[in-house]
Amino acid sequence: MAVPVQKDLRPTIVRLLSNMANAREIQQYLKRFSQVDAARFAVVKVGGAVLRDQLEALVSSLSFLQQVGLTPIVVHGAGPQLDADMQAAGIEKIVVDNLRHTDPAVLSVVRRVMRRENLRLVEALQADGVRATSIQSGVFECTLLDGERYGLVGAVARVDVEGIHAAIKVGSIPVIASLGETTGGQIVNVNADWAANELVKTLQPYKIVFLTGTGGLLDGDGAVIDSINLSTEYEELLAQPWLHSGMRVKIEQVRDLLMALPPSSSVSITRPDELAKELFTHRGSGTLVRRGERILCATSWDELDLERLRALIESAFGRKLKPDYFETTRPYRIYVSEHYRAALLLTQEMLDGTDGVAHLDKFAVADDAQGEGLGRAIWHVMRGDVERLFWRSRPSNPVNEFYFGEADGCFKGDRWNVFWYGLERFEDIREAVAHCRGRTATLKD
């Protein structure tokens, strides 16, 4: 069953346009989401801190999704609330291997807090006119992880989706507490990230979103990392001294999850008030973690499937390449994702006084890969190899925002904007601009 998108989206789109993106991007994503089975649109994992501190923003974002006919599946934790209630009850918190040791006294608090937070979210949604269903049990069938070591902590053995499907069938957002039961009826505490991961593996949704207070994974300077391609960046990331503790565990969990899903899968980590931006714009928000594709680097057309490369370029630009493009263009380096969904084509130009400077001739990303971070991933690989680069782009190109962020400078023109990085001499920049202005177009208008 496809997602039923409301016919009159104008008021909602106008609301989005005021601070987010253009109508074309939004309509593109709505069309894409409308073709996905309703039960597989998105799983949204909500941290306890978000329920405590950003409930209003969360309700607003989920309300928006329902307005445009989309029904996410929400699974939540309640870590900070559990800490507070246990402290109030005089119960010591014991953590073993990053898991809360759960004896009967702790479990009693867990059940009470989970029920309270689940109903708090559902009631807030309903008060805002959102159809929502509280699901506090019956989803996660568990075995005891290790009773002696962790107490009443469950490992999910099976996910029952009947209640979830029943809610979605009537257009109601399922709100699921991370509690499980054994086959013998024992209630068990389930780590919320584990619960979300097992739900994702069972449903294999189109979008996977983790909502956090930080709005993403942070680098060594405390800034949000915008995208991570695990196929090309995982080992480098783990080697960073600032990646430790909870953030390192999060990356490892996300990688384990994505390795169990199709290659095109991704996980978005963002804030509740940025959820719509993450889902409906190419730039997104927060951190996008992709399983990703290997990036191949070639120096000759002979190493590539030119038919697939031509199809990618023409699809991305919406125009035909000149028939003799590959015969008349001498490549310097070509970066291509393994499934030909993104490509960077570089030539080398002999500017006066230089021994050759790399020129970006084509940057193409397939329509279904936009918003996944694949373009940023292939650019990251290229930039690690190429110290100096210049290129041109039409002023109306929506990618210019990305180019401005990557370039050391830009010379704006009526027909072309010329960008560069790594060029320090004024003479080199002047030559680069002149070259771009006089370069023959290779795409047919």
Side-chain angles (χ1 to χ4, degrees), residues 29-86:
Y29 282 99
L30 283 172
K31 180 180 178 181
R32 191 179 297 176
F33 295 151
S34 72
Q35 297 169 348
V36 178
D37 180 78
R40 296 184 60 239
F41 160 56
V43 168
V44 178
K45 189 267 176 176
V46 180
V50 169
L51 290 178
R52 182 191 62 192
D53 303 329
Q54 302 179 57
L55 183 63
E56 184 178 345
L58 174 62
V59 168
S60 177
S61 290
L62 295 176
S63 174
F64 167 76
L65 293 180
Q66 193 167 86
Q67 286 179 50
V68 297
L70 300 170
T71 307
I73 297 164
V74 176
V75 58
H76 69 86
Q81 295 89 329
L82 286 170
D83 289 347
D85 277 44
M86 285 177 60

Side-chain angles (χ1 to χ4, degrees), residues 6-17 27 30 68:
Q6 293 178 10
K7 293 181 180 179
D8 188 1
L9 296 171
R10 285 173 296 178
T12 307
I13 289 176
V14 169
R15 195 176 96 193
L16 269 172
L17 284 174
Q27 290 285 23
L30 283 172
V68 297

Side-chain angles (χ1 to χ4, degrees), residues 388-441:
R388 298 186 299 171
L389 182 75
F390 71 98
W391 68 99
R392 70 183 184 184
S393 172
R394 296 187 185 276
S396 59
N397 191 337
V399 182
N400 283 340
E401 183 181 0
F402 171 76
Y403 286 157
F404 281 116
E406 291 294 321
D408 291 340
C410 172
F411 187 91
K412 294 184 178 180
D414 293 336
R415 189 177 180 199
W416 297 107
N417 289 341
V418 179
F419 298 88
W420 65 87
Y421 71 73
L423 299 182
E424 298 179 354
R425 299 194 314 149
F426 174 76
E427 293 80 1
D428 294 342
I429 295 171
R430 183 181 58 192
E431 285 290 322
V433 171
H435 178 91
C436 287
R437 283 180 166 179
R439 192 176 182 88
T440 304

Side-chain angles (χ1 to χ4, degrees), residues 118-148:
N118 184 273
L119 291 176
R120 182 166 167 262
L121 175 54
V122 170
E123 289 167 2
L125 287 167
Q126 292 175 346
D128 201 53
V130 180
R131 297 182 301 280
T133 300
S134 170
I135 302 179
Q136 301 176 31
S137 62
V139 175
F140 304 110
E141 182 182 303
C142 298
T143 59
L144 282 181
L145 184 61
D146 183 333
E148 185 175 339

Side-chain angles (χ1 to χ4, degrees), residues 34 42 60 77 87 93 120 191 242 259 276 282 335 406 420:
S34 72
S60 177
Q87 185 177 19
K93 177 182 177 181
R120 182 166 167 262
N191 177 278
W242 46 262
M259 290 302 110
H282 296 336
Y335 296 88
E406 291 294 321
W420 65 87

